[in-house]
Amino acid sequence: MLTPVLHSCPSITRYEHNPVLTSREVPYASTLVFNAGVIKWQGRYVMVFRNDYHYLEGARFEGTNIGICTSADGIHWQVDPQPCFDVKDDALMAKFGLPRGEITRCYDPRLTVIENEVYMTFAVDTRHGLRGGIARTVDFRNWDILSLTVPDNRNMVLFPEKINGRYVRLERPMPVYSRGRDRFDMWLSESPDMIFWGKSTLVAAVEDFHYTNDKVGPGAPPVKTDRGWLVFTHGVDIDQTRGKNGWEDAWKKRYCAGMVLLDLKDPGKVIGVYRDPLLAPETDYEAVDGFRTNVIFPTGAILEEDGTVKIYYGASDTVIALATANVNELVDLCLAGGAR
């Protein structure tokens, strides 16, 4: 059975000069830049991004860190001369009772502003599994790491305000055995303090979308609208007939961006689903060139005063690109698709 060809939603427009950030703009060792968190902060746009450097072979790189850049318009970016975040330090190990060398790398940051404080979620690879972390900062240089999940959990994003007095996050746990294979779904959890998380609820599942058979999870932190929380998601399908699609010997997955609409007061309730891809890999920088082609992963969303949503996404796990759409059109599309 041939994999169906997917197309992007006509309501969305890619920035004509994509990508907006590549490794060429990074003033230190850099091979790939992607999966970035973006916020507006103190009159400027701030982006933190995953930076993989010194490619070795297969899927292996010498290292990964998190860089930072700023922009006046959300399009043209100035990268700081040094990375901004690293978790492989003795103080962190001691705080969480970890032995020296337990954490091997950090990556995939997302940014959210809550009550005038900046929070970053991120993933860390450890010698005993992949964990999700939450950190807080006031200057993007000094970070207070609040919590780490048990393995395996990643792609966590925070809602930009407390709901019913609690912090809320979306996440994508990775239950390989209990689902029979890697069928990963999007869940919601609550916390009184950003440290202890629970009351977990299934929000969206792989089977809710015709173009996914492998993974559905959060992408960018939720955007608040007057009709609900607009959430940009990632959806993945696997086709074992796919061959070499990038630098590795074989890359059999395709990542698309999707979206759902959640209830404002009860965000575990899905009130609208866009059933088709919002963005599917179609351009050269998404589907032809790069480390892992056929990958679109939305990781940042900014709602502007005129109703335009800027959607930042990683393309081919290689560069950062930008697309825009009208927020009301996106909400209408979700509501037209019905609830989960």
Side-chain angles (χ1 to χ4, degrees), residues 236-271:
V236 185
D237 73 281
I238 291 180
D239 181 346
Q240 296 298 336
T241 67
R242 292 185 182 126
K244 186 172 175 61
N245 293 285
W247 300 358
E248 298 174 277
D249 291 339
W251 175 245
K252 302 179 183 298
K253 298 177 183 178
R254 173 175 56 184
Y255 281 67
C256 295
M259 59 180 179
V260 299
L261 191 69
L262 308 180
D263 187 85
L264 286 174
K265 296 182 179 179
D266 180 9
K269 180 180 178 182
V270 179
I271 59 176

Coordinates of all heavy atoms in Angstrom, one line a residue, residues 236-271:
V236 N 2.9 11.8 13.3 CA 3.9 11.0 12.7 C 3.3 9.7 12.1 O 2.5 9.0 12.7 CB 5.0 10.6 13.6 CG1 6.2 9.9 12.9 CG2 5.6 11.8 14.4
D237 N 3.7 9.4 10.8 CA 3.4 8.1 10.3 C 4.7 7.4 9.9 O 5.7 8.1 9.5 CB 2.5 8.2 9.1 CG 3.1 8.8 7.8 OD1 3.3 10.0 7.8 OD2 3.5 8.0 6.9
I238 N 4.7 6.1 9.9 CA 5.8 5.2 9.5 C 5.4 4.4 8.3 O 4.3 3.9 8.3 CB 6.3 4.3 10.7 CG1 6.9 5.0 11.8 CG2 7.2 3.2 10.1 CD1 7.4 4.1 12.9
D239 N 6.3 4.4 7.3 CA 6.1 3.5 6.2 C 7.4 2.8 6.0 O 8.5 3.3 5.7 CB 5.8 4.4 4.9 CG 5.6 3.6 3.7 OD1 5.9 2.4 3.6 OD2 5.1 4.2 2.7
Q240 N 7.4 1.5 6.2 CA 8.6 0.6 6.1 C 9.2 0.5 4.7 O 10.3 0.1 4.6 CB 8.3 -0.8 6.7 CG 7.9 -0.8 8.2 CD 8.9 -0.2 9.1 OE1 10.1 -0.3 8.8 NE2 8.5 0.3 10.2
T241 N 8.5 1.0 3.7 CA 9.0 0.9 2.4 C 9.9 2.2 2.1 O 10.5 2.2 1.0 CB 7.9 0.8 1.3 OG1 7.1 2.1 1.3 CG2 7.0 -0.3 1.6
R242 N 9.8 3.2 2.9 CA 10.7 4.3 2.7 C 12.1 4.0 2.9 O 12.5 3.2 3.7 CB 10.3 5.5 3.7 CG 8.9 6.1 3.4 CD 8.7 7.3 4.4 NE 7.3 7.8 4.1 CZ 6.4 8.0 5.1 NH1 6.7 7.7 6.4 NH2 5.2 8.5 4.8
G243 N 12.9 4.6 2.0 CA 14.4 4.3 2.1 C 15.2 5.4 2.7 O 14.9 5.9 3.7
K244 N 16.2 5.8 1.9 CA 17.1 6.8 2.4 C 16.5 8.2 2.2 O 16.5 8.6 1.1 CB 18.5 6.7 1.7 CG 19.6 7.6 2.3 CD 20.9 7.3 1.7 CE 22.0 8.3 2.1 NZ 22.2 8.3 3.6
N245 N 16.1 8.8 3.3 CA 15.5 10.1 3.2 C 16.3 11.1 4.1 O 15.8 11.5 5.2 CB 14.1 10.1 3.6 CG 13.2 9.3 2.6 OD1 12.9 9.8 1.5 ND2 12.9 8.1 3.0
G246 N 17.5 11.4 3.8 CA 18.4 12.2 4.6 C 19.8 11.6 4.7 O 20.2 10.8 3.8
W247 N 20.4 11.8 5.8 CA 21.8 11.4 5.9 C 22.0 10.0 6.4 O 23.0 9.3 6.2 CB 22.5 12.3 6.9 CG 22.6 13.8 6.5 CD1 22.1 14.3 5.4 CD2 23.1 14.9 7.3 NE1 22.3 15.7 5.4 CE2 22.9 16.0 6.5 CE3 23.8 14.9 8.5 CZ2 23.3 17.3 7.0 CZ3 24.2 16.2 9.0 CH2 24.0 17.3 8.2
E248 N 20.9 9.5 7.1 CA 21.0 8.1 7.6 C 20.8 7.1 6.5 O 20.3 7.4 5.4 CB 20.0 7.9 8.7 CG 20.3 8.8 9.9 CD 19.2 8.7 11.0 OE1 18.1 9.3 10.8 OE2 19.4 7.9 11.9
D249 N 21.1 5.8 6.8 CA 20.9 4.8 5.8 C 19.4 4.7 5.4 O 19.0 4.4 4.3 CB 21.4 3.4 6.3 CG 22.9 3.4 6.4 OD1 23.6 4.2 5.7 OD2 23.4 2.6 7.1
A250 N 18.5 4.8 6.4 CA 17.1 4.8 6.1 C 16.4 5.7 7.1 O 16.7 5.7 8.3 CB 16.6 3.3 6.3
W251 N 15.4 6.4 6.7 CA 14.5 7.2 7.5 C 13.1 7.0 7.0 O 12.7 7.4 5.9 CB 14.9 8.7 7.4 CG 14.0 9.6 8.1 CD1 13.2 10.6 7.6 CD2 13.8 9.7 9.6 NE1 12.5 11.2 8.6 CE2 12.8 10.7 9.8 CE3 14.3 9.0 10.7 CZ2 12.4 11.0 11.1 CZ3 13.8 9.3 11.9 CH2 12.9 10.3 12.1
K252 N 12.3 6.3 7.8 CA 11.0 5.8 7.4 C 9.8 6.6 7.9 O 8.7 6.2 7.7 CB 10.8 4.3 7.8 CG 12.0 3.4 7.3 CD 11.8 2.0 7.7 CE 13.0 1.1 7.2 NZ 13.0 1.1 5.7
K253 N 10.1 7.7 8.7 CA 9.0 8.4 9.3 C 8.7 9.7 8.5 O 9.6 10.3 7.8 CB 9.4 8.8 10.7 CG 9.6 7.6 11.6 CD 10.0 8.0 13.0 CE 10.3 6.8 13.9 NZ 10.7 7.1 15.2
R254 N 7.5 10.2 8.7 CA 7.1 11.5 8.2 C 6.4 12.3 9.3 O 5.5 11.7 9.9 CB 6.2 11.4 7.0 CG 5.6 12.7 6.5 CD 4.8 12.5 5.2 NE 3.7 11.5 5.3 CZ 2.9 11.2 4.3 NH1 3.1 11.7 3.1 NH2 2.0 10.3 4.5
Y255 N 6.8 13.5 9.5 CA 6.2 14.4 10.6 C 5.4 15.5 9.9 O 5.9 16.2 9.0 CB 7.3 15.0 11.4 CG 7.9 14.1 12.5 CD1 8.7 13.0 12.2 CD2 7.7 14.4 13.8 CE1 9.3 12.2 13.1 CE2 8.3 13.6 14.8 CZ 9.1 12.5 14.5 OH 9.6 11.7 15.4
C256 N 4.2 15.7 10.4 CA 3.4 16.8 9.9 C 2.9 17.6 11.1 O 2.9 17.1 12.3 CB 2.1 16.3 9.2 SG 2.4 15.4 7.7
A257 N 2.6 18.8 10.9 CA 2.0 19.7 11.9 C 0.4 19.6 11.9 O -0.1 19.6 10.8 CB 2.4 21.1 11.8
G258 N -0.2 19.5 13.0 CA -1.7 19.5 13.1 C -2.1 20.5 14.1 O -1.3 21.3 14.7
M259 N -3.4 20.4 14.5 CA -3.9 21.3 15.5 C -5.2 20.8 16.1 O -6.0 20.1 15.5 CB -4.1 22.7 15.0 CG -5.0 22.9 13.9 SD -5.2 24.7 13.4 CE -6.3 24.5 12.0
V260 N -5.4 21.1 17.4 CA -6.6 20.8 18.1 C -7.0 22.1 18.9 O -6.1 23.0 19.2 CB -6.4 19.6 19.1 CG1 -6.1 18.4 18.3 CG2 -5.4 19.9 20.2
L261 N -8.2 22.1 19.4 CA -8.7 23.2 20.2 C -9.2 22.6 21.5 O -10.1 21.7 21.5 CB -9.9 24.0 19.4 CG -10.3 25.3 20.1 CD1 -9.2 26.4 19.9 CD2 -11.6 25.8 19.4
L262 N -8.7 23.2 22.6 CA -9.1 22.7 23.9 C -10.0 23.7 24.7 O -9.8 24.9 24.5 CB -7.8 22.4 24.7 CG -6.8 21.5 24.1 CD1 -5.6 21.3 25.0 CD2 -7.4 20.2 23.7
D263 N -10.8 23.2 25.6 CA -11.7 24.0 26.3 C -10.9 25.0 27.3 O -9.9 24.5 27.9 CB -12.6 23.2 27.2 CG -13.7 24.0 27.9 OD1 -14.7 24.2 27.3 OD2 -13.4 24.3 29.1
L264 N -11.3 26.2 27.4 CA -10.5 27.2 28.1 C -10.5 26.8 29.6 O -9.4 27.0 30.3 CB -11.1 28.6 28.0 CG -10.9 29.3 26.6 CD1 -11.7 30.6 26.6 CD2 -9.4 29.6 26.4
K265 N -11.6 26.4 30.2 CA -11.6 26.1 31.6 C -11.3 24.6 31.9 O -10.9 24.3 33.1 CB -13.0 26.5 32.2 CG -13.3 28.0 32.1 CD -14.7 28.3 32.7 CE -15.0 29.8 32.6 NZ -16.3 30.1 33.2
D266 N -11.4 23.8 31.0 CA -11.2 22.3 31.2 C -10.3 21.9 30.0 O -10.8 21.3 29.0 CB -12.5 21.6 31.2 CG -12.3 20.1 31.4 OD1 -11.1 19.7 31.7 OD2 -13.2 19.3 31.3
P267 N -9.0 22.2 30.0 CA -8.1 21.9 28.9 C -7.9 20.5 28.5 O -7.3 20.2 27.5 CB -6.8 22.6 29.3 CG -6.8 22.6 30.7 CD -8.3 22.8 31.1
G268 N -8.3 19.5 29.4 CA -8.3 18.1 29.0 C -9.4 17.8 28.0 O -9.5 16.6 27.5
K269 N -10.4 18.7 27.8 CA -11.5 18.5 26.9 C -11.2 19.0 25.5 O -11.0 20.2 25.4 CB -12.7 19.1 27.5 CG -14.0 18.9 26.7 CD -15.2 19.6 27.3 CE -16.5 19.5 26.5 NZ -17.6 20.2 27.2
V270 N -11.2 18.2 24.5 CA -11.0 18.6 23.1 C -12.3 19.0 22.5 O -13.3 18.2 22.4 CB -10.4 17.5 22.3 CG1 -10.2 17.9 20.8 CG2 -9.1 17.0 22.9
I271 N -12.4 20.3 22.1 CA -13.7 20.8 21.6 C -13.6 21.0 20.1 O -14.6 21.2 19.4 CB -14.1 22.1 22.2 CG1 -13.0 23.2 22.0 CG2 -14.4 21.9 23.7 CD1 -13.4 24.6 22.6

